[in-house]
């Protein structure tokens, strides 16, 4: 082993390209269901097939990779199944836009089959880019098991599930109010609607009673839908309207006679207490329409324009233009009473980015309540755990108020609904393949449903469909999976539905733990998005800082359940950390070959080891225990903090510096022992760090000789904490840790004294330590060589009876007092002159600050934070003056 074989500076790009290819070609990511090992499984939240890597993906997949690598090192058969989602609406919209821009054609111009061919071509060309990008950040996925939601096997699972639920009576077709996206021209589930608070208006207009005796005033935020009104509703106990119940009004512009009904849903305090009822365009109105047997008139086309039912004057107008026309016409008739500003929640299509249209439509639905109850129990009974736990309350609320799931989409890209309509008797046959004839009447005239299934209908089967279900494959050994890492924004879309599907179709929960990642925001607290131009390309970050640096930084700054404030500059933390470890390894390689028996310290005892050796072994043991516990409980941010604290602050800043004195010292036996401890601890922390920073840890483990050439750190054994007996044998006790920690505090105090008197670090000074107890004397005397090195001392004397004479720097600590005689070290008169000048300046500043604070006018008129800053400054100045006085006293 030679430092010449190691580059002076860490080059992430070279190391990453080298090792990822090695891992993949040597099969380190491949899981074997027949190995006999305990399985550990994660299924990747499948990104959209046309998606690109984002920082959200980096965080999510880094955490999954940490778990997979950790469990693999613990000896489990770790299987991480990757894949992509066909993303019906998003992908179809991309291809349709591309066709319009490049060829000037629509999907309707091409026809269904030709259009689908184009989508598949698009998928082959652009799809899967994100999967390749995941390799760049080191994801240890089992790529041979990569799946796509439109794969043949997964499609078979989708059809199987549809048929099972249909035969069980849990899938039905019916007319219901659904969310309609006019841009994508498809139905949406409730979860695909994003609500935004908008400044709108509340319009008041009059509906004349049909008998001409009076009028009733209604208030609405949707004037254009009045063309589909089939009633006016009031609260049955509202005294203002009781006499009108049972009467009718004549609907303006349409001249349709509609009833005035009493319904307890109406809030008498809203508007005038009377509301228009449009059953085909509002979910609440729909329910009232059912209760009162009102007609349901749809006045809109698929694209949101008005249809023939709206009347010739409004037909083919957009809903926005129709609103203007209706208001203008009502005003001409003198029926528009007033307009008020009104802030309300408006639902937007998650994919189309336009306001959704509540619309009466015939769609396919899944009855969710029978599926929801066992899925709710799985979480409330603790069989599935959420991290952070507060998401359990959100989940419970949604599951207890669950509504039927609209699963049909008016798209072409996706799993086509396996329902066939007999053109003879109108029977619906549900089957995987088109029947040869109608099972009811024998007719051969069968037509398949034009719609496809909601994308989430394939995704909710993901944990077991990717393993070959419904076939009985060897891969079923990897079900149930263990952990799921995902965003809280899809807790309803995906997490809840997977739990339902797992219990319904496999009879087991699909996973045990769900970790919800943080939302990533920029330094200003804004959510990252392309539109705000505040979302950096992760691959650019990797090119600048390295994959390990990005991974470590994301973990370090991601507290559980809190948003992340991210900037590229924060990745300097990770890059500097990687460089620190690299330099520590280079230092070690200068000391010669790896210790032969670094792995096993069972033959060592406390009396052979220096206190600092015993301290680093104790601290390494604490770190092993704490990191293992943090991983087991999904406290990822603690892992970053613990690793950084131990490797940078304890190992590199203290232990490595302590070991230098031994490595350069005269005692070869002590040198070999310290090298052995050094190697043991370094190999330990490289394994602890590997799940977070896989590339640099693999590279250094080979450079340092901790691994054979053909081995990988991925297969190394995860460090186990030592037993109490082992710690006692090595002298790595808590009492010892307390003593060494106090020693380092004393060293830090001495360094501060040196800084106070501007003594250059390279200048060696004599230090005398007066220990506070006899035990301390023995402890400090046990390793004077390292103590001298860490103090930058020309000599160190341990003297319990020492009394300072002449100018002396003093450092106080738990172990006693350290003295630095200054007479021959600094120019005492020049130093006294410098300090006296500082003293005079400080007194002047104090006087000025005190006079300002004594000024009642300043204190009463200045902002409170300005006054407080002045008070804080005064305290700081007085503290500084006190310290200057102590330094002057030491120079007497």
């Amino acid at each position: 082993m030679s430092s010449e074989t190691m580059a002076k500076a860490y080059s992430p790009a070279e190391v990453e390209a080298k090792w990822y290819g090695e891992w993949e070609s040597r099969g380190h990511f491949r899981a074997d269901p027949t190995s006999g090992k305990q399985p550990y499984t994660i299924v990747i939240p499948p990104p959209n097939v046309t998606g690109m890597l984002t920082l959200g993906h980096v965080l999510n997949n880094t955490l999954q990779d940490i778990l997979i690598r950790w469990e693999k090192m613990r000896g489990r058969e770790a299987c991480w199944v990757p894949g992509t989602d066909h993303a019906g609406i998003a992908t179809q919209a991309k291809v349709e836009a591309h066709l319009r821009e490049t060829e000037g054609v629509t999907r309707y111009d091409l026809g269904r089959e030709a259009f689908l061919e184009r989508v598949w071509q698009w998928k082959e060309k652009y799809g899967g880019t994100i999967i390749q990008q995941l390799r760049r950040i080191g994801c240890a996925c089992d790529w041979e098991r990569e799946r796509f939601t439109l794969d043949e096997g997964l499609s078979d699972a989708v059809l199987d599930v549809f048929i099972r639920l249909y035969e069980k009576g849990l899938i039905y077709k019916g007319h219901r109010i659904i969310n309609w996206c006019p841009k994508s021209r498809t139905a949406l589930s409730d979860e695909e609607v994003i609500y935004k608070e908008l400044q709108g208006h509340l319009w008041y207009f009059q509906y004349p009673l049909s008998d001409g005796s009076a009028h009733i005033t209604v208030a609405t935020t949707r004037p254009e839908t009045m063309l589909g009104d089939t009633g006016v509703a009031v609260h049955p106990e509202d005294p203002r309207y009781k006499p009108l119940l049972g009467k009718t009004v004549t609907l303006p512009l349409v001249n349709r006679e509609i009833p005035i009904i009493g319904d307890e849903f109406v809030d008498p305090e809203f508007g005038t207490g009377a509301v228009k009822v449009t059953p085909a365009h509002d979910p609440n109105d729909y329910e009232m329409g059912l209760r009162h047997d009102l007609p349901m008139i749809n006045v809109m086309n698929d694209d949101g324009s008005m249809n023939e039912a709206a009347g010739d004057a409004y037909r083919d107008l957009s809903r926005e233009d129709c609103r203007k026309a209706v208001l203008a016409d009502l005003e001409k008739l003198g029926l528009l009473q007033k307009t008020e500003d009104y802030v309300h929640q408006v639902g937007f299509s998650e994919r189309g980015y336009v306001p959704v249209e509540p619309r009466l439509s015939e769609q396919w639905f899944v009855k969710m309540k029978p599926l929801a109850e066992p899925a709710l129990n799985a979480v409330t009974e603790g069989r599935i755990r959420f991290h952070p736990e507060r998401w359990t309350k959100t989940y419970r609320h949604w599951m207890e108020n669950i509504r039927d799931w609209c699963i049909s989409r008016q798209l072409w890209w996706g799993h086509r609904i396996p329902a066939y309509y007999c053109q003879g008797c109108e029977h619906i046959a549900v089957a995987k393949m088109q029947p040869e004839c109608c099972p009811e009447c024998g007719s051969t005239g069968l037509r398949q449903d034009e719609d496809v299934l909601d994308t989430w209908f394939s995704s909710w089967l993901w944990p077991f469909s990717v393993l070959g279900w419904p076939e009985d494959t060897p891969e079923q050994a990897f079900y149930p999976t263990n952990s799921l890492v995902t965003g809280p924004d899809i807790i309803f879309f995906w997490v809840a539905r997977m739990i339902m599907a797992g219990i319904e179709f496999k009879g087991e929960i699909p996973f045990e733990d769900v970790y919800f990642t943080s939302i990533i925001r920029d330094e200003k607290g804004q959510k990252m998005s392309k539109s705000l131009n505040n979302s950096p390309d992760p691959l650019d970050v990797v090119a600048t800082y390295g994959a390990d640096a990005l991974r470590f930084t994301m973990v370090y700054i991601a507290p559980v359940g809190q948003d992340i404030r991210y900037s590229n500059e924060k990745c300097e933390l990770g890059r500097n950390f990687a460089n620190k470890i690299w330099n520590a390894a280079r230092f070690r390689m200068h000391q010669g070959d790896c210790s032969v028996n670094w792995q096993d310290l069972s033959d060592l005892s406390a009396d052979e080891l220096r206190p600092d050796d015993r301290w680093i072994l104790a601290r390494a043991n604490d770190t092993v225990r704490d990191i293992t516990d943090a991983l087991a409980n999904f406290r990822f941010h603690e892992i970053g903090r613990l690793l950084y604290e131990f490797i940078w602050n304890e190992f590199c800043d203290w232990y490595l510096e302590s070991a230098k004195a031994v490595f350069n010292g005269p005692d070869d036996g002590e040198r070999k022992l310290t090298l052995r401890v050094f190697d043991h601890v370094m190999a330990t922390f490289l394994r602890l760090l590997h799940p977070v920073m896989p590339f640099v840890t693999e590279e250094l483990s080979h450079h340092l000789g901790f691994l054979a050439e053909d081995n990988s750190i991925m297969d190394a054994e995860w460090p186990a904490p030592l037993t109490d007996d082992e710690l006692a044998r090595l002298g790595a006790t808590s009492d010892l840790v307390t003593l060494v920690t106090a020693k380092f505090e004393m060293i830090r105090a001495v360094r501060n004294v040196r800084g106070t008197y501007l003594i250059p670090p390279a200048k060696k000074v004599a230090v005398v330590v007066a220990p506070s107890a006899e035990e301390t004397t023995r402890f400090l005397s046990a390793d004077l060589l390292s103590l001298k090195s860490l103090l930058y001392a020309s000599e160190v004397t341990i003297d319990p009876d020492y009394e300072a004479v002449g100018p002396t720097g003093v450092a106080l600590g738990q172990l006693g007092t350290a003295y630095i005689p200054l007479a021959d070290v600094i120019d005492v008169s020049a130093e006294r002159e410098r300090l006296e000048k500082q003293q005079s300046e400080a007194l002047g500043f104090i006087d000025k600050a005190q006079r300002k604070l004594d000024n009642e006018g300043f204190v009463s008129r200045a902002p409170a934070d300005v006054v407080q800053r002045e008070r804080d400054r005064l305290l700081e100045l007085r503290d500084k003056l006190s310290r200057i006085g102590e330094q002057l006293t030491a120079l007497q």
Side-chain angles (χ1 to χ4, degrees), residues 773-838:
E774 186 177 340
E775 177 193 10
T776 307
T777 302
R778 290 195 300 272
F779 168 69
L780 292 173
S781 300
D783 191 15
L784 285 175
L785 190 64
S786 293
L787 186 60
K788 179 179 172 183
S789 174
L790 292 168
L791 288 168
Y792 312 137
S794 55
E795 60 178 317
V796 175
T797 304
I798 310 296
D799 183 356
D801 302 319
Y802 181 79
E803 293 184 7
V805 178
T808 306
V810 179
L812 301 175
Q814 294 180 23
L815 298 185
T817 305
Y819 300 93
I820 304 176
L822 298 173
D824 298 325
V825 177
I826 62 173
D827 183 331
V828 175
S829 60
E831 180 65 14
R832 186 179 291 114
E833 185 178 337
R834 182 181 73 83
L835 290 171
E836 286 172 347
K837 182 181 178 182
Q838 287 187 0

Side-chain angles (χ1 to χ4, degrees), residues 693-872:
M693 302 179 80
F695 294 108
V696 70
T697 52
E698 183 78 71
E699 179 77 359
L700 292 180
S701 293
H702 282 274
H703 271 303
L704 293 167
F706 298 149
L707 294 171
E709 184 178 346
D710 293 337
N711 291 349
S712 169
I713 193 172
M714 289 182 69
D715 297 317
E717 188 175 343
W718 182 256
L722 299 174
T723 65
D724 290 344
D725 288 344
E726 289 171 319
L727 290 169
R729 174 176 51 77
L730 292 167
T733 62
S734 58
D735 290 344
L736 182 279
V737 169
T738 300
L739 281 171
V740 175
T741 301
K743 179 182 75 171
F744 292 153
E745 288 174 358
M746 182 188 72
I747 292 167
R748 193 178 288 113
V750 170
R751 291 177 180 175
N752 289 338
V753 170
R754 291 178 61 111
T756 298
Y757 292 104
L758 307 181
I759 302 171
K763 187 176 181 65
K764 305 289 186 182
V765 298
V767 177
V768 180
V769 179
S772 57
E774 186 177 340
E775 177 193 10
T776 307
T777 302
R778 290 195 300 272
F779 168 69
L780 292 173
S781 300
D783 191 15
L784 285 175
L785 190 64
S786 293
L787 186 60
K788 179 179 172 183
S789 174
L790 292 168
L791 288 168
Y792 312 137
S794 55
E795 60 178 317
V796 175
T797 304
I798 310 296
D799 183 356
D801 302 319
Y802 181 79
E803 293 184 7
V805 178
T808 306
V810 179
L812 301 175
Q814 294 180 23
L815 298 185
T817 305
Y819 300 93
I820 304 176
L822 298 173
D824 298 325
V825 177
I826 62 173
D827 183 331
V828 175
S829 60
E831 180 65 14
R832 186 179 291 114
E833 185 178 337
R834 182 181 73 83
L835 290 171
E836 286 172 347
K837 182 181 178 182
Q838 287 187 0
Q839 187 180 52
S840 176
E841 290 173 347
L843 285 167
F845 289 139
I846 289 171
D847 180 64
K848 184 178 178 181
Q850 188 63 63
R851 279 189 281 111
K852 182 180 283 190
L853 289 170
D854 288 342
N855 183 339
E856 186 59 35
F858 167 75
V859 174
S860 61
R861 289 195 296 268
D865 61 324
V866 172
V867 175
Q868 188 57 49
R869 275 202 305 272
E870 200 63 31
R871 287 175 176 149
D872 293 342

Side-chain angles (χ1 to χ4, degrees), residues 112-125:
R112 186 170 194 139
E113 294 307 315
F115 175 74
L116 289 177
E117 284 182 20
R118 294 296 190 92
V119 183
W120 278 106
Q121 290 168 10
W122 175 275
K123 183 259 180 186
E124 292 305 315
K125 186 174 182 179

Side-chain angles (χ1 to χ4, degrees), residues 640-692:
R641 180 183 59 78
L642 289 165
L643 287 165
Y644 191 91
E645 172 68 24
F646 177 72
I647 297 171
W648 189 301
N649 296 341
E650 297 183 327
F651 183 84
C652 292
D653 283 358
W654 286 113
Y655 183 69
L656 185 148
E657 295 300 321
S658 168
K660 279 182 181 178
V662 180
F663 293 162
N664 297 325
D667 190 332
D668 188 58
E670 187 176 48
R671 181 177 186 277
K672 287 180 178 177
L673 278 174
T674 298
L675 278 172
R676 189 172 165 192
V677 172
F678 192 102
D679 289 346
H680 176 85
V681 174
M682 195 163 194
T684 297
F685 78 61
L686 286 175
R687 283 178 284 159
L688 293 175
L689 182 61
H690 173 71
V692 183

Side-chain angles (χ1 to χ4, degrees), residues 514-700:
V514 182
Y515 180 87
F516 293 108
T517 55
S518 307
I519 294 174
I520 303 177
R521 302 184 182 276
D522 64 16
E523 285 287 78
K524 298 177 182 177
Q526 300 178 106
K527 190 172 180 179
M528 287 192 166
S529 70
K530 290 181 180 178
S531 61
L532 292 175
N533 197 31
N534 66 349
S535 182
D537 183 341
L539 295 188
D540 290 341
V541 181
V542 169
T544 303
Y545 297 96
D548 280 341
L550 176 58
R551 289 168 61 114
F552 181 81
T553 301
M554 295 300 285
V555 171
Y556 192 88
I557 65 174
V560 177
Q562 297 180 35
D563 293 353
I564 294 174
R565 294 290 183 97
Y566 174 87
S567 67
N568 283 349
E569 291 69 30
K570 287 186 176 179
C571 290
E572 290 177 10
L573 171 85
R575 179 170 64 185
N576 293 342
F577 190 42
N579 288 333
K580 185 80 168 179
I581 299 164
W582 186 267
N583 290 333
R586 276 183 55 78
F587 165 77
R588 172 59 188 88
M589 291 180 71
H590 278 292
Q591 314 310 318
D593 291 343
C594 175
S595 304
V596 175
N597 49 355
W598 59 268
Q599 296 184 63
D600 182 12
L601 304 183
S602 60
D603 60 318
L604 296 182
S605 58
D607 57 5
E608 299 176 82
L609 300 172
R610 301 178 308 133
D612 290 1
D613 295 330
R614 293 152 56 196
W615 170 79
I616 198 65
L617 288 172
R619 288 298 303 124
N621 193 68
D622 291 342
T623 305
V624 168
R625 185 193 61 240
D626 292 345
I627 289 178
T628 302
D629 182 69
L631 280 168
N633 290 285
F634 300 89
R635 299 193 305 273
F636 294 103
H637 67 294
E638 282 189 28
I639 301 162
R641 180 183 59 78
L642 289 165
L643 287 165
Y644 191 91
E645 172 68 24
F646 177 72
I647 297 171
W648 189 301
N649 296 341
E650 297 183 327
F651 183 84
C652 292
D653 283 358
W654 286 113
Y655 183 69
L656 185 148
E657 295 300 321
S658 168
K660 279 182 181 178
V662 180
F663 293 162
N664 297 325
D667 190 332
D668 188 58
E670 187 176 48
R671 181 177 186 277
K672 287 180 178 177
L673 278 174
T674 298
L675 278 172
R676 189 172 165 192
V677 172
F678 192 102
D679 289 346
H680 176 85
V681 174
M682 195 163 194
T684 297
F685 78 61
L686 286 175
R687 283 178 284 159
L688 293 175
L689 182 61
H690 173 71
V692 183
M693 302 179 80
F695 294 108
V696 70
T697 52
E698 183 78 71
E699 179 77 359
L700 292 180

Side-chain angles (χ1 to χ4, degrees), residues 99-216:
L99 288 171
R100 283 194 304 270
E101 294 166 7
T102 59
E103 301 179 37
V105 298
T106 69
R107 60 171 161 143
Y108 303 104
D109 295 327
L110 294 176
R112 186 170 194 139
E113 294 307 315
F115 175 74
L116 289 177
E117 284 182 20
R118 294 296 190 92
V119 183
W120 278 106
Q121 290 168 10
W122 175 275
K123 183 259 180 186
E124 292 305 315
K125 186 174 182 179
Y126 299 105
T129 298
I130 192 169
I131 291 297
Q132 296 302 320
Q133 292 173 327
L134 289 175
R135 288 173 157 88
R136 290 287 305 278
I137 61 169
C139 292
C141 296
D142 189 343
W143 297 113
E144 294 179 32
R145 288 196 168 85
E146 183 183 342
R147 305 305 298 269
F148 176 51
T149 50
L150 283 177
D151 282 349
E152 183 179 347
L154 273 71
S155 296
D156 186 62
V158 167
L159 298 180
D160 193 280
V161 163
F162 187 95
I163 294 167
R164 290 190 193 197
L165 292 177
Y166 181 77
E167 291 176 346
K168 200 171 180 179
L170 294 180
I171 281 184
Y172 65 94
K173 193 174 188 183
H175 285 86
R176 289 269 307 274
I177 281 282
I178 49 90
N179 304 295
W180 184 265
C181 175
K183 184 176 180 181
S184 303
R185 300 193 190 187
T186 183
L188 303 172
S189 68
D190 293 339
E191 293 73 40
E192 290 171 300
V193 178
I194 307 299
Y195 285 90
K196 299 179 182 179
E197 188 175 89
L198 296 182
Q199 176 67 56
H201 296 92
L202 194 60
W203 287 277
Y204 292 77
F205 37 82
Q206 299 171 342
Y207 286 179
L209 292 177
S210 300
D211 60 12
S213 61
H215 65 263
I216 189 167

